[in-house]
Amino acid sequence: SISKNSQRPFTVIVEGNIGSGKTTFLQHFNKFDDICVLAEPIELWRNCNGHNLLGLLYEDRKKWSFTFQSYVQLTMLEQHTKLTDRPIKLMERSIYSARYCFVEKMKQDGLLSHASAAVLDKHFEWVKEYANVGVDLIVYLRTSPHVVYERMMLRNRAEEKSVSLEYLQALHQIHEDWLYHKTIFSVAAPVLVLNANLDKSVIHEEYMKCEPQILNRTLTVHT
Ligand SMILES: Cc1cc2cn([C@H]3C[C@H](O)[C@@H](CO)O3)c(=O)nc2[nH]1
């Protein structure tokens, strides 16, 4: 039988810490007509019917974590299932990093009650089972917490003023356990690890290394 994935484009997700260069990576691949590039829908999180959920999150994590992650999960589901006539879809983050990195961290920090986490988990499990959210390749922009902390401070995103080095270190460790050591959650697809500590002046050579894998149009029917 034709599986639910047969209509899906070759789907690549780019994962990494805050400040790991995901936007720069996506921009590098914008030039290919075959690729539908989907940046993280941060503007939706900044304006949900006029509410800046991202701002609220960083003002009071305990109060807004559930609200924020609920909306993130919906917007990422929208991106996963967004139709495109292009053979390849390249997404910044995913429904997987939402659950395995950010929700996980909020659970660890007690910012999500067990009840709230259970509701997010039920929603995630349903989506994984019944929605078209399959992935074919994960690009892991691997960085050191000190490097991304510097970049985050330089980028100076208003809402992120309160983000600490400790938070980035914890988020880094969760990404490492998930995508490098593969010791915590299931990994949805093969992982390509890039050294994303490299300076902007040479990082494009590192990105070019994975062009063959990303531009590869597997003709296999997804089973
Ligand atoms: C999927 C997903 C992305 C994402 C981003 N964020 C935060 C980290 C950054 O400060 C900002 C933009 O990535 O949003 C989050 O708290 N939870 C998330 N879940």
Side-chain angles (χ1 to χ4, degrees), residues 45-202:
W45 307 339
R46 281 188 161 134
N47 181 0
C48 175
N49 277 8
H51 303 284
N52 179 351
L53 302 180
L54 183 64
L56 292 172
L57 172 76
Y58 283 126
E59 277 166 30
D60 183 343
R61 287 166 172 277
K62 202 156 174 65
K63 180 171 184 182
W64 295 106
S65 282
F66 179 75
T67 306
F68 181 76
Q69 289 305 334
S70 300
Y71 191 50
V72 164
Q73 197 157 234
L74 171 62
T75 55
M76 294 318 282
L77 174 59
E78 286 171 340
Q79 303 237 107
H80 279 283
T81 56
K82 181 178 158 69
L83 297 176
T84 175
D85 51 10
R86 295 187 176 194
I88 302 163
K89 180 187 279 189
L90 179 61
M91 284 177 61
E92 183 180 5
R93 291 222 176 99
S94 64
I95 196 115
Y96 303 100
S97 42
R99 170 65 190 81
Y100 298 149
C101 298
F102 291 95
V103 168
E104 196 57 24
K105 172 71 180 133
M106 290 167 172
K107 279 172 72 174
Q108 287 172 5
D109 294 351
L111 298 170
L112 280 172
S113 67
H114 288 271
S116 297
V119 168
L120 285 174
D121 215 38
K122 286 292 178 196
H123 190 269
F124 174 72
E125 288 305 324
W126 187 92
V127 162
K128 239 184 7 172
E129 179 61 31
Y130 297 105
N132 203 357
V133 293
V135 167
D136 301 291
L137 179 67
I138 302 174
V139 175
Y140 175 29
L141 300 182
R142 192 172 188 232
T143 52
S144 315
H146 287 89
V147 169
V148 294
Y149 184 67
E150 280 304 308
R151 289 183 190 163
M152 186 191 74
M153 298 314 271
L154 280 173
R155 176 174 67 192
N156 195 24
R157 209 178 248 159
E159 296 89 349
E160 292 172 344
K161 263 198 282 296
S162 64
V163 177
S164 67
L165 174 60
E166 289 70 30
Y167 180 66
L168 295 179
Q169 284 165 330
L171 222 41
H172 169 70
Q173 200 47 56
I174 292 178
H175 278 86
E176 287 286 280
D177 294 343
W178 176 38
L179 295 175
Y180 193 75
H181 307 297
K182 303 184 184 176
T183 52
I184 43 173
F185 296 108
S186 66
V187 181
V191 181
L192 217 51
V193 181
L194 296 188
N195 170 11
N197 278 336
L198 290 171
D199 185 77
K200 222 167 182 175
S201 54
V202 294

